[in-house]
Amino acid sequence: MKHQKLLLITALLVIIGVIGTIFLLETPSPPSVTQSPKPVQQPPKTTQQSSKPTQIVVKTNQTVKNATKLRFKPKDGQTLAFHFEGKSNAKIDFGFITPNIATSGNSSASAPSQGQKTPVTMQTSGELYLKYFALKPDVWQVAAKLADVTYQLNQETPRYVDAISYPFTFQMTTLGFLSHFKFTKNIPTEAQQFVEQLLNTLQIAFPKESKIEWRTKEIDKTGRYQAIYKLNKMDTKLATLTKQKLKYFSTRVASFDINPAMSKSQTQIENSLTTVTTSVKGPWFSTLKHTEKINSLSGTYKWAETQVKAQIHQIKKDLTGVFPATFAQFLNRLNAAKFAKSKYYNTDPYFDKLGKNLDMDSALNLFEQLKNSKVPNANRTAEKFFVNYLRQHPQAAFDVVNLLDGDPKRKRFDQSTQLVLWRLITEAGHVEAQQAIVNTLNDSNRSHLTKMRALAYMHDFEYPEASTVNALWQFTSGLDTKDDREYRTMSLYALGSLGNNDKFNDVVKPEIGKLLVTNLEGSDDPREQAVILGAIGNYGSAEVLDAVEPYFTAKNEGVRASAYDALRHVEAPRAIEMLTTHYEAETSPNVRAAAVKNFSKMTPTLEGVNWANKAVLKTDASKEQIPLVEVLGKTLEDYPDNEGTLRALLKKDVDNKVKKNIYKYIVPAF
């Protein structure tokens, strides 16, 4: 029991360790800038702040009167290099923000209590490299990467430190607004957030007009805040200015549901000051120094306080060979296999402590124990532990498959838990996990149920290895089209999914497309043709459209219906044109219904929505009207004229099911 309790306490640290990865932020719109017509007033005190924020007084050079418009003006293809360093000291009451884990014998988790704060230190340094590519007037696409990074938390190097140096991109405007961050596939969330927060700290937002003082609303990884800028000194070449955060309007920690107390949390800025030197119309700033102290409060209780210091300055650096000639070439680097696959062997040190020295049986017992605890998000915490265990011990994936295959009557785990374990193997994602699943297909000792589960979960691998695709195809090609119909259908559908656009291995995708097209064209069996067309639907790339088109006019209705199924994931104008053209010529009610059903699964386009507005009023078949109503309703916000079509349809003698679907999107007219 003592050992189990220790493991559960360590699990608490896991939850804390991932707390920063939960506060995700969508790419912000450019911050708004407003003129500050009066001297800055003290931010108003709210009921949740325990003390007034400290107003830092910055002496403005009163000789700055006719200020020139400040702009960043990098040249197309220009490169910059910076050296940065920073550190932070925090004190956090982990006991308060994380309720005690309740074991299965207790009814609930304990309420959070106010206790001792734990010191957390961070220290980092490195270099930032940039290359600017003109996108449109006054907007640049920026290729970027960090190099020579040192990064320590509490004097330990985090597991994701290498990923901090992965390439990334963002956009920058001439006013200094940064947005549209794009990272490598599968980058650890912690690494991505570190980079975004670094760039958020470097954001300096200029006003549209010449001003000595202006305010902005901006976003960082903590939340949305208001800032004030003051132009301190300026000549024909250089300007010195300051930026001060005034208050946070909202914070992401307040939305974190690990305990109810967090919903009342507020971030208080005790002091904040960024001092910047920049060329009047240079590519970016020259030097930046940043200091900040913020407090996190729940009600009046200060459960965390953080002090940050950072500085960054331009350096001379030969960046020959760091960046390619074009932005498109740099984007291709973001999809490199070495970045996409690194996730599958990347483990969390806190979960590693849980899984260290555990055999498979003990790991599964702990998985169950965590799942049955009363901590919020207990199921997902248990799943994260077990995925980490599989990445920590890759060969364990084979043991899990053996265990599941050997428990057909579900004595050890119920069906729901078995299905979760299959899913977690695919989430582990590495080569061993793929081998463990695909090897079951050609193993005559495996049960029928195990093979069916393997085929069902094969779809979920994010980065299918070529060896996995080859093994799946070897299994598929050895199946009889009549006697092994069930296996063959599932394996072809899995093969199509492994080549879908959302998969990360761009090398195997076209090969999968060729396999599917070759088998489609080589078959004269209508049932086989229909299955392959459905598999092509899972594949979803536009290069197969020429091969699919002849089947819209096939004699067999099932084949014609499946031809529309082949279009459902294709994002190309020609796919919409192909579907609408053949739908208009189709006479079979069943095939027409299949056509619009698959149309409703396609990504909406202007051409497609315009067609749906016309088609829904032409047809009297409810099986065709309902999917078309769904398309018009879901796109109503972007295409408000759809409402007129839906109301016109109500005036017709339509089925009650059609009316019910219409009223999901509009209110009845009186």
Side-chain angles (χ1 to χ4, degrees):
M1 287 297 294
K2 184 176 180 180
H3 176 63
Q4 291 177 339
K5 184 176 181 180
L6 178 61
L7 290 174
L8 289 173
I9 291 173
T10 309
L12 284 173
L13 297 178
V14 171
I15 298 169
I16 299 302
V18 301
I19 202 170
T21 71
I22 298 175
F23 308 148
L24 297 180
L25 171 69
E26 69 274 10
T27 303
S29 301
S32 60
V33 179
T34 58
Q35 183 176 3
S36 177
K38 299 179 181 180
V40 180
Q41 302 295 318
Q42 178 71 26
K45 179 181 178 181
T46 68
T47 56
Q48 291 177 309
Q49 291 178 332
S50 58
S51 61
K52 287 186 177 182
T54 301
Q55 181 77 21
I56 297 178
V57 178
V58 180
K59 293 183 179 180
T60 304
N61 187 335
Q62 298 301 321
T63 62
V64 182
K65 294 182 179 180
N66 299 318
T68 304
K69 287 183 181 179
L70 292 170
R71 295 291 186 268
F72 292 123
K73 290 288 187 179
K75 298 177 182 178
D76 188 28
Q78 184 172 0
T79 60
L80 290 180
F82 294 84
H83 174 80
F84 67 88
E85 54 188 52
K87 61 180 180 180
S88 68
N89 293 283
K91 294 180 180 179
I92 303 172
D93 185 348
F94 290 111
F96 175 75
I97 64 175
T98 310
N100 294 328
I101 291 181
T103 61
S104 57
N106 297 329
S107 59
S108 63
S110 301
S113 59
Q114 300 176 12
Q116 184 177 1
K117 294 183 177 70
T118 302
V120 179
T121 63
M122 183 279 292
Q123 193 157 359
T124 185
S125 66
E127 295 181 352
L128 169 64
Y129 303 151
L130 307 173
K131 184 173 183 178
Y132 293 89
F133 297 89
L135 177 62
K136 55 186 178 180
D138 295 334
V139 180
W140 292 266
Q141 296 179 124
V142 187
K145 74 180 302 291
L146 300 180
D148 299 329
V149 175
T150 62
Y151 181 61
Q152 289 195 320
L153 289 174
N154 284 351
Q155 298 181 333
E156 292 187 6
T157 301
R159 61 183 173 84
Y160 54 85
V161 67
D162 289 342
I164 290 175
S165 297
Y166 289 177
F168 64 99
T169 69
F170 61 94
Q171 288 184 16
M172 185 179 105
T173 71
T174 190
L175 297 179
F177 300 150
L178 311 181
S179 63
H180 296 83
F181 287 89
K182 187 171 184 179
F183 294 85
T184 59
K185 295 175 180 178
N186 272 346
I187 183 174
T189 305
E190 303 94 327
Q192 176 177 332
Q193 290 194 331
F194 171 84
V195 174
E196 283 193 70
Q197 183 64 16
L198 173 63
L199 271 293
N200 290 153
T201 302
L202 304 183
Q203 178 168 270
I204 302 300
F206 292 153
K208 292 182 179 179
E209 303 299 331
S210 299
K211 291 185 176 72
I212 296 175
E213 185 177 295
W214 63 96
R215 293 192 182 195
T216 63
K217 293 179 181 178
E218 303 181 40
I219 296 176
D220 60 16
K221 301 309 292 180
T222 301
R224 186 175 181 83
Y225 65 89
Q226 184 182 51
I228 182 170
Y229 289 80
K230 295 181 180 181
L231 182 59
N232 186 47
K233 185 178 180 180
M234 186 174 184
D235 56 29
T236 57
K237 295 182 179 181
L238 293 176
T240 301
L241 56 93
T242 58
K243 171 183 178 180
Q244 182 184 354
K245 291 182 184 177
L246 297 179
K247 63 179 180 180
Y248 277 96
F249 297 108
S250 61
T251 59
R252 277 172 297 283
V253 70
S255 65
F256 187 52
D257 63 355
I258 199 165
N259 76 51
M262 302 303 290
S263 64
K264 302 176 182 178
S265 188
Q266 185 182 33
T267 299
Q268 176 199 72
I269 302 170
E270 189 166 321
N271 59 65
S272 172
L273 182 64
T274 302
T275 304
V276 181
T277 301
T278 181
S279 298
V280 174
K281 290 186 179 180
W284 211 13
F285 62 85
S286 303
T287 65
L288 180 148
K289 292 184 179 180
H290 172 72
T291 61
E292 187 171 87
K293 183 176 181 180
I294 60 175
N295 302 316
S296 298
L297 301 95
S298 181
T300 59
Y301 178 59
K302 183 166 66 176
W303 56 267
E305 54 187 271
T306 306
Q307 288 184 297
V308 179
K309 290 185 178 181
Q311 58 183 7
I312 182 169
H313 61 273
Q314 281 194 39
I315 59 175
K316 292 183 178 180
K317 190 88 173 185
D318 183 2
L319 298 182
T320 303
V322 174
F323 297 102
T326 68
F327 187 73
Q329 290 172 326
F330 189 80
L331 281 179
N332 288 335
R333 292 187 181 182
L334 268 61
N335 299 326
K338 65 178 180 179
F339 301 131
K341 294 170 66 173
S342 64
K343 167 184 175 181
Y344 306 122
Y345 296 96
N346 200 335
T347 60
D348 189 298
Y350 296 105
F351 282 123
D352 289 347
K353 292 177 183 177
L354 284 174
K356 186 178 181 180
N357 299 325
L358 292 184
D359 59 19
M360 174 56 64
D361 194 59
S362 298
L364 287 168
N365 286 339
L366 180 56
F367 166 76
E368 286 280 276
Q369 191 175 3
L370 290 170
K371 187 176 70 169
N372 294 326
S373 67
K374 301 300 181 180
V375 173
N377 300 316
N379 281 345
R380 190 55 190 150
T381 299
E383 291 179 4
K384 286 182 177 180
F385 156 70
F386 198 68
V387 169
N388 192 85
Y389 180 84
L390 292 174
R391 291 175 177 172
Q392 186 181 13
H393 308 280
Q395 293 297 321
F398 295 93
D399 297 332
V400 181
V401 171
N402 289 337
L403 182 148
L404 295 171
D405 183 63
D407 187 24
K409 296 184 178 181
R410 299 182 289 279
K411 293 181 179 180
R412 174 73 186 273
F413 297 112
D414 59 25
Q415 178 171 299
S416 176
T417 303
Q418 286 199 4
L419 295 178
V420 168
L421 291 173
W422 279 103
R423 174 171 57 80
L424 297 183
I425 296 173
T426 61
E427 191 173 330
H430 44 52
V431 174
E432 291 81 1
Q434 296 185 39
Q435 290 175 341
I437 287 185
V438 78
N439 286 357
T440 64
L441 302 178
N442 294 305
D443 187 344
S444 60
N445 294 320
R446 298 297 189 186
S447 68
H448 172 72
L449 178 62
T450 296
K451 292 184 178 183
M452 294 296 285
R453 294 268 171 83
L455 288 170
Y457 284 92
M458 188 82 67
H459 297 248
D460 297 338
F461 285 116
E462 296 175 331
Y463 192 100
E465 297 285 345
S467 59
T468 300
V469 173
N470 291 337
L472 178 59
W473 177 244
Q474 180 184 352
F475 172 73
T476 305
S477 59
L479 297 171
D480 186 82
T481 58
K482 295 181 179 179
D483 296 339
D484 300 314
R485 177 73 63 185
E486 185 178 33
Y487 277 150
R488 189 168 174 84
T489 299
M490 291 189 69
S491 61
L492 283 167
Y493 271 71
L495 187 68
S497 292
L498 295 182
N500 189 269
N501 287 328
D502 64 358
K503 302 301 182 183
F504 296 157
N505 191 343
D506 294 332
V507 176
V508 302
K509 290 178 184 179
E511 298 305 315
I512 290 174
K514 291 176 184 177
L515 286 173
L516 293 173
V517 168
T518 299
N519 278 267
L520 175 65
E521 294 175 341
S523 175
D524 56 6
D525 178 0
R527 292 184 65 183
E528 177 75 358
Q529 290 172 345
V531 169
I532 299 174
L533 287 166
I536 289 175
N538 282 359
Y539 177 66
S541 286
E543 75 269 11
V544 299
L545 291 178
D546 285 339
V548 169
E549 186 155 28
Y551 296 90
F552 287 105
T553 55
K555 293 182 179 180
N556 185 279
E557 282 193 9
V559 173
R560 297 204 304 276
S562 295
Y564 293 99
D565 193 21
L567 302 180
R568 68 182 185 276
H569 287 151
V570 179
E571 296 185 6
R574 186 185 170 200
I576 296 290
E577 181 184 355
M578 188 178 290
L579 183 147
T580 57
T581 299
H582 290 288
Y583 166 85
E584 299 293 349
E586 181 59 59
T587 58
S588 166
N590 290 333
V591 177
R592 287 171 63 89
V596 294
K597 182 179 180 181
N598 283 289
F599 172 76
S600 70
K601 299 176 183 178
M602 300 174 74
T603 301
T605 64
L606 174 61
E607 294 76 15
V609 172
N610 287 340
W611 175 80
N613 273 282
K614 298 173 183 177
V616 74
L617 296 176
K618 287 182 179 180
T619 180
D620 294 323
S622 61
K623 288 185 178 180
E624 297 175 38
Q625 290 171 335
I626 290 174
L628 291 170
V629 165
E630 181 181 334
V631 171
L632 296 176
K634 289 183 176 180
T635 59
L636 189 58
E637 184 175 349
D638 294 325
Y639 304 97
D641 290 346
N642 293 357
E643 182 174 350
T645 301
L646 295 175
R647 294 201 181 280
L649 185 59
L650 285 170
K651 295 178 181 179
K652 298 179 66 175
D653 184 21
V654 294
D655 188 277
N656 283 334
K657 291 182 179 179
V658 178
K659 292 181 180 179
K660 183 178 180 180
N661 277 274
I662 292 175
Y663 288 133
K664 289 180 181 178
Y665 306 105
I666 63 174
V667 297
F670 296 101

